[in-house]
Amino acid sequence: MTSIGGTAPGMVDWNLAVATATRLVRPGPEVSRDEARAVVAELRRHAKASEEHVRGFTRMGTEETHDTPVLVVDRPGWVRANVAGFREILRPLLDKMQERRGSSPGGAVLGAVGGKVTGVELGMLLSFLASRVLGQYETFAPASRDLPAGAGGGGRLLLVAPNIVHVERELDVPPHDFRLWVCLHEETHRTQFTAVPWLRDHLEGEIQSFLAETDVDPMTFLERIREAAQTLAGGRPDAEEDDGGRSLVELVQSPAQREILGRLTAVMSLLEGHADFVMDGVGPAVVPAVGEIREKFQQRRAKGASRLDLALRKLLGLDAKLRQYRDGERFVRAVVDEVGMDGFNRVWTSPNTLPTKAEIAKPADWIARVHRRSET
């Protein structure tokens, strides 16, 4: 296993998180070696074809803007990539908490529990998520020998082959169509960040501002992770009824954080909704079964696979992500219907033209603000 960085474990033993998740993650669907190779090759072809489809539909970017790699990975590969990304983006917060741990009344307890226990618990969560993610554009991915990334700190596009095969079989949809449909969604995210140069830095700045405002007792942070891990392990079987909606996002405390979180929610709703809009807009021309796929996938996304899924979705804040898909897609569709694709693309002009959380719910307000101002 490749070491994730070379610093001391601190609040989280990242290498142990990777080892734990890799050990616990469930095996993927049964496929022969030849079939696995064919799946990987087809996903790479679809990812390449999706570039032109997405550019043509969205009118964003050029062939030269796509300098980030596409990696077809298995579940352990997804875990390693995400641990590297988490470590990078959370470093300032964890360093701050590490300093606070040394002077807090619970410092001795935390020293005993330490980064290793946290690493195990985080690994348990990652092992759960690793079997569910179909694809992901890693915006803040640091490059490594095993996991290349785009130049200048750019991201990478991950396609999780065993999960794609698992879901296409579960939904009983045409594999060729489903694989292309997934690639269209993820390629849209890649296009968003490669065609809009300021977007990555803006999003990172918002996240770091949010983390800088965080004044969380380390015990509270660890307890949230522990609750999620215990739910996953079956230690809290009634969690879905007892949690009252608690999630890791509830570490939000200050008015400044709530304001930043509102902006982040709006951006993520835009990005996810735009990707859903594009995959369905391109779909009819290149994915014959797009209607069947969308209907079955929406049903699966809405209900989750089990009561355990529902409990963890609540605790990890994934229900909010589901709302982002729905609300963001409605926003994009309403704006495009009103002012066309070029009119919608004004959203990418600058941070000031991004929709607010309120405007996501009321697209006409965004149209009035951005288009009226630009036309006066």
Side-chain angles (χ1 to χ4, degrees):
M1 182 188 70
T2 302
S3 175
I4 307 295
T7 59
M11 291 292 297
V12 181
D13 187 331
W14 297 103
N15 290 330
L16 186 56
V18 171
T20 301
T22 302
R23 184 176 70 252
L24 295 179
V25 71
R26 292 180 295 178
E30 291 187 10
V31 295
S32 67
R33 182 168 297 182
D34 287 345
E35 185 178 2
R37 288 173 177 164
V39 170
V40 171
E42 184 173 21
L43 286 173
R44 286 177 176 155
R45 290 195 303 271
H46 285 332
K48 183 64 177 175
S50 294
E51 294 181 19
E52 184 175 350
H53 293 315
V54 171
R55 283 200 308 270
F57 184 80
T58 64
R59 304 174 194 171
M60 294 174 63
T62 65
E63 189 171 350
E64 288 70 31
T65 61
H66 290 67
D67 65 343
T68 53
V70 177
L71 306 179
V72 181
V73 298
D74 58 9
R75 290 169 177 175
W78 179 87
V79 167
R80 288 192 294 273
N82 274 265
V83 166
F86 289 158
R87 181 169 191 169
E88 188 73 15
I89 200 69
L90 291 175
R91 188 187 305 275
L93 173 63
L94 294 179
D95 286 349
K96 177 180 177 180
M97 292 174 66
Q98 176 77 6
E99 292 176 7
R100 181 169 177 175
R101 184 175 78 172
S103 59
S104 69
V109 175
L110 282 168
V113 175
K116 291 192 178 298
V117 171
T118 311
V120 169
E121 291 167 340
L122 181 60
M124 292 172 66
L125 293 177
L126 288 169
S127 72
F128 173 84
L129 295 171
S131 63
R132 284 155 174 77
V133 176
L134 302 181
Q136 175 185 2
Y137 184 75
E138 271 204 298
T139 314
F140 308 109
S144 68
R145 182 184 60 188
D146 299 327
L147 293 164
R156 54 182 166 237
L157 180 60
L158 305 178
L159 298 169
V160 191
N163 296 350
I164 293 172
V165 171
H166 171 77
V167 174
E168 71 191 26
R169 291 178 178 179
E170 178 186 320
L171 299 182
D172 189 25
V173 293
H176 172 87
D177 286 8
F178 184 74
R179 294 167 193 176
L180 178 55
W181 189 70
V182 170
C183 287
L184 289 170
H185 182 101
E186 303 308 332
E187 176 58 35
T188 302
H189 286 317
R190 185 169 176 237
T191 297
Q192 290 163 348
F193 283 94
T194 54
V196 185
W198 55 263
L199 184 58
R200 179 188 181 277
D201 288 343
H202 171 72
L203 194 58
E204 182 176 18
E206 293 279 57
I207 292 171
Q208 292 305 332
S209 294
F210 178 87
L211 296 178
E213 288 284 337
T214 301
D215 187 24
V216 178
D217 178 80
M219 285 295 290
T220 303
F221 179 79
L222 298 182
E223 181 60 24
R224 285 292 192 272
I225 296 177
R226 189 163 298 114
E227 286 176 0
Q230 288 172 350
T231 301
L232 179 58
R236 304 174 69 241
D238 298 324
E240 59 267 41
E241 287 148 15
D242 292 341
D243 274 344
R246 295 203 317 168
S247 77
L248 292 172
V249 176
E250 287 188 356
L251 296 174
V252 176
Q253 296 168 327
S254 70
Q257 279 187 305
R258 286 192 287 273
E259 184 177 332
I260 296 168
L261 185 61
R263 293 197 299 266
L264 282 169
T265 299
V267 173
M268 297 312 297
S269 296
L270 170 69
L271 299 180
E272 296 294 358
H274 184 232
D276 267 11
F277 178 78
V278 171
M279 72 197 297
D280 286 344
V282 174
V286 296
V287 181
V290 65
E292 176 191 2
I293 291 171
R294 165 57 76 189
E295 181 179 0
K296 290 182 176 180
F297 193 77
Q298 288 285 56
Q299 292 172 356
R300 180 183 188 273
R301 180 189 274 175
K303 71 181 182 181
S306 66
R307 285 167 62 87
L308 177 60
D309 265 3
L310 295 176
L312 272 167
R313 278 181 7 187
K314 181 184 294 184
L315 193 54
L316 297 173
L318 298 182
D319 281 340
K321 186 173 179 65
L322 297 180
R323 289 193 296 273
Q324 287 169 7
Y325 285 109
R326 182 190 65 231
D327 297 345
E329 195 274 342
R330 288 175 180 168
F331 170 84
V332 176
R333 185 172 301 280
V335 172
V336 172
D337 285 348
E338 182 68 23
V339 297
M341 186 63 74
D342 290 337
F344 165 78
N345 280 341
R346 292 188 186 180
V347 78
W348 312 115
T349 304
S350 75
N352 292 330
T353 57
L354 291 172
T356 64
K357 188 176 179 181
E359 288 171 342
I360 287 288
K362 295 183 177 180
D365 290 354
W366 179 87
I367 294 171
R369 175 173 67 88
V370 172
H371 284 261
R372 182 182 302 149
R373 183 178 62 191
S374 65
E375 291 163 4
T376 57

